[in-house]
Amino acid sequence: DSVMASTTLFYLMEKASYKFLGPLLRTSGQALYRSGYKVNGPTAHQDIRVPSLRYIPLSDEKVPNYKNPGWIATNSSVAGNVEIDEGAAIFHGVVIKGDNCKIKIGKRAMIQDLTRISKVAGKEKNIEIGDEVIIGCNCELDSCVIENHSYIGDGAYIAPGCLIESFSMVAAGTVLLPGTVVPSGQIWAGNPGKYLRDLTPQEKITLYENHQELEQLSKIYNEECERTFREWIDKRNELWYKGWSTSEMKFYDWYEAQGFPLTEEDMNEIDDRSDGGYGTSVFDHNDSKVDPLWAEEEYTNLPYEPDLSHYPEIFQKQAQNYEMFDKVKERFDKEHPESQGAPHPHTRHVPKEQAPWETKWPDHTVYRSPGDGGHQVYLHQFLYDVW
């Protein structure tokens, strides 16, 4: 009760703040600002509201074109004729200037921190970055083309006219000279950049995993940085509730989230469905005023079958598991335990040949006692042959 009362009081105070107190303080502050501006006279200055740097149109034609990007950092700058495709992420401090060329960034491309993309020199008109490309931190790209699934290491410089083919890698700190072509599947490094070796299949898998990690990180940034004030308040309340709530309260929250009945209305509904007259008859009631005809229509001998349609899927899944268990158990009960089983590890194997001495010594007559019906041999001849 105390928690509910405090929560209700909090929401009432919040509602009064943004409906009455907030507008009152804002109008009062604006009035004070205008009064102070008049008092300062010629020494006063007018405050200018700075728009967001994530969307800077330079003219009617040079306007950023966003096609549902994944995330664009609040302190990044995107100006001019820039096209950012679906799922692409622009991290902190990135500067993309499309004032004298067109810049196109493909799907799910990751442009990391402090990277600059613009046309400084060169005759090329466009800068193209393909799908699922990774651009490392503090890179500089100038009038180049980077094809799909490529990787540009931290601090690399891509000069005008360079072509980075798909599934290739430019190592960190590499400086590519103008007009350099990096073939597909190769690693280039150094200053100036030169061929180092080919990418291994394991390294390609590692680059793909690195791209997935960056994509997930961009989604986390987008979730945390693009929240409204109401969402921040709800998040703060959730963290505060987790801090002081007991284990019993957490269990009941999980119990309710799974769809189990907690309130008295839910329990009464279960009771009404479980013993609502099914399986009873007219003679089970002591009330003599009950009409037998009405009772026969009301009370039947139908078995109770619970209706799980409005319950969570966990109950239906549990019933399916029990049904599958019964089918498997019936199958194993019908089978013979030794029909398809492997032989026992301690089974004694009896050899077919019962006379091992004859098989071991096939060219010699082995001594046997006369009682066994064997042939008479000379012992010294047998020992001589063995020696």
Side-chain angles (χ1 to χ4, degrees):
D1 296 339
S2 60
V3 175
M4 184 179 296
S6 60
T7 305
T8 306
L9 181 61
F10 172 78
Y11 280 105
L12 290 176
M13 293 176 61
E14 182 185 24
K15 187 176 180 180
S17 298
Y18 68 74
K19 278 195 173 183
F20 303 104
L21 185 60
L24 177 61
L25 293 177
R26 290 187 64 181
T27 53
S28 303
Q30 292 173 0
L32 289 174
Y33 172 78
R34 289 191 295 267
S35 301
Y37 183 78
K38 292 179 181 179
V39 170
N40 284 340
T43 61
H45 67 278
Q46 184 71 25
D47 294 337
I48 300 175
R49 181 176 178 270
V50 179
S52 175
L53 300 178
R54 292 188 290 180
Y55 186 90
I56 303 177
L58 300 180
S59 64
D60 295 339
E61 297 179 354
K62 298 180 180 181
V63 178
N65 182 15
Y66 293 162
K67 297 182 178 180
N68 193 17
W71 175 64
I72 299 178
T74 55
N75 61 344
S76 61
S77 299
V78 180
N81 192 3
V82 179
E83 179 180 334
I84 302 178
D85 217 327
E86 179 182 2
I90 310 299
F91 283 74
H92 304 280
V94 174
V95 177
I96 304 176
K97 294 173 61 181
D99 50 355
N100 53 3
C101 69
K102 181 180 180 180
I103 302 175
K104 182 179 180 180
I105 299 175
K107 297 179 180 179
R108 295 180 296 278
M110 301 289 126
I111 314 298
Q112 298 187 57
D113 306 64
L114 302 177
T115 294
R116 187 186 67 82
I117 303 175
S118 63
K119 179 183 176 181
V120 179
K123 299 180 181 180
E124 290 75 11
K125 296 182 180 180
N126 299 330
I127 300 176
E128 297 183 6
I129 299 176
D131 300 340
E132 298 186 1
V133 173
I134 300 177
I135 307 296
C137 301
N138 201 22
C139 294
E140 187 173 353
L141 279 64
D142 187 1
S143 302
C144 59
V145 176
I146 302 176
E147 296 184 354
N148 303 336
H149 309 284
S150 300
Y151 177 86
I152 309 299
D154 298 344
Y157 172 72
I158 311 299
C162 291
L163 173 60
I164 314 298
E165 295 185 357
S166 60
F167 295 99
S168 58
M169 177 179 178
V170 178
T174 302
V175 177
L176 295 182
L177 298 179
T180 304
V181 178
V182 179
S184 177
Q186 294 184 2
I187 301 177
W188 283 52
N191 185 9
K194 296 181 180 180
Y195 168 74
L196 182 61
R197 60 178 175 86
D198 292 340
L199 275 170
T200 63
Q202 183 61 35
E203 289 173 341
K204 293 181 180 179
I205 296 175
T206 304
L207 292 179
Y208 175 73
E209 293 175 351
N210 187 17
H211 180 271
Q212 284 187 326
E213 292 178 359
L214 288 174
E215 189 174 4
Q216 293 175 1
L217 180 61
S218 66
K219 291 180 180 179
I220 294 174
Y221 275 128
N222 185 34
E223 182 180 357
E224 294 293 331
C225 298
E226 303 299 329
R227 285 179 178 171
T228 61
F229 180 75
R230 178 69 263 175
E231 292 174 347
W232 276 110
I233 293 295
D234 294 339
K235 183 66 176 179
R236 175 185 171 278
N237 293 339
E238 182 181 353
L239 295 176
W240 176 69
Y241 177 76
K242 288 182 178 180
W244 63 265
S245 59
T246 61
S247 58
E248 183 178 359
M249 297 173 64
K250 294 179 181 179
F251 170 76
Y252 278 113
D253 292 340
W254 173 86
Y255 201 77
E256 185 178 4
Q258 298 300 322
F260 292 101
L262 283 179
T263 61
E264 185 177 357
E265 289 78 6
D266 296 338
M267 299 301 297
N268 292 335
E269 183 182 357
I270 294 177
D271 294 339
D272 294 340
R273 290 191 302 106
S274 60
D275 52 15
Y278 295 109
T280 61
S281 63
V282 183
F283 304 100
D284 295 335
H285 299 275
N286 296 325
D287 190 1
S288 59
K289 297 181 180 180
V290 176
D291 188 1
L293 297 178
W294 175 84
E296 289 179 0
E297 295 179 359
E298 181 69 23
Y299 299 101
T300 60
N301 291 326
L302 295 177
Y304 168 64
E305 296 181 0
D307 181 17
L308 303 180
S309 59
H310 60 284
Y311 274 84
E313 297 180 357
I314 184 172
F315 291 98
Q316 301 178 6
K317 189 65 177 178
Q318 186 178 10
Q320 295 176 3
N321 293 339
Y322 274 111
E323 184 179 357
M324 183 64 67
F325 173 77
D326 294 337
K327 290 182 179 179
V328 175
K329 185 175 183 302
E330 182 181 359
R331 174 188 171 188
F332 278 97
D333 290 342
K334 291 181 179 179
E335 293 181 356
H336 194 272
E338 298 180 0
S339 60
Q340 299 180 358
H344 197 274
H346 300 291
T347 304
R348 181 175 179 272
H349 301 278
V350 180
K352 296 180 180 180
E353 182 61 46
Q354 298 295 332
W357 282 98
E358 283 87 353
T359 57
K360 188 174 183 180
W361 307 99
D363 298 333
H364 299 282
T365 304
V366 182
Y367 176 77
R368 289 183 179 181
S369 61
D372 295 335
H375 301 280
Q376 185 178 2
V377 296
Y378 294 97
L379 182 59
H380 64 278
Q381 183 66 30
F382 170 72
L383 296 176
Y384 178 80
D385 292 337
V386 173
W387 177 79

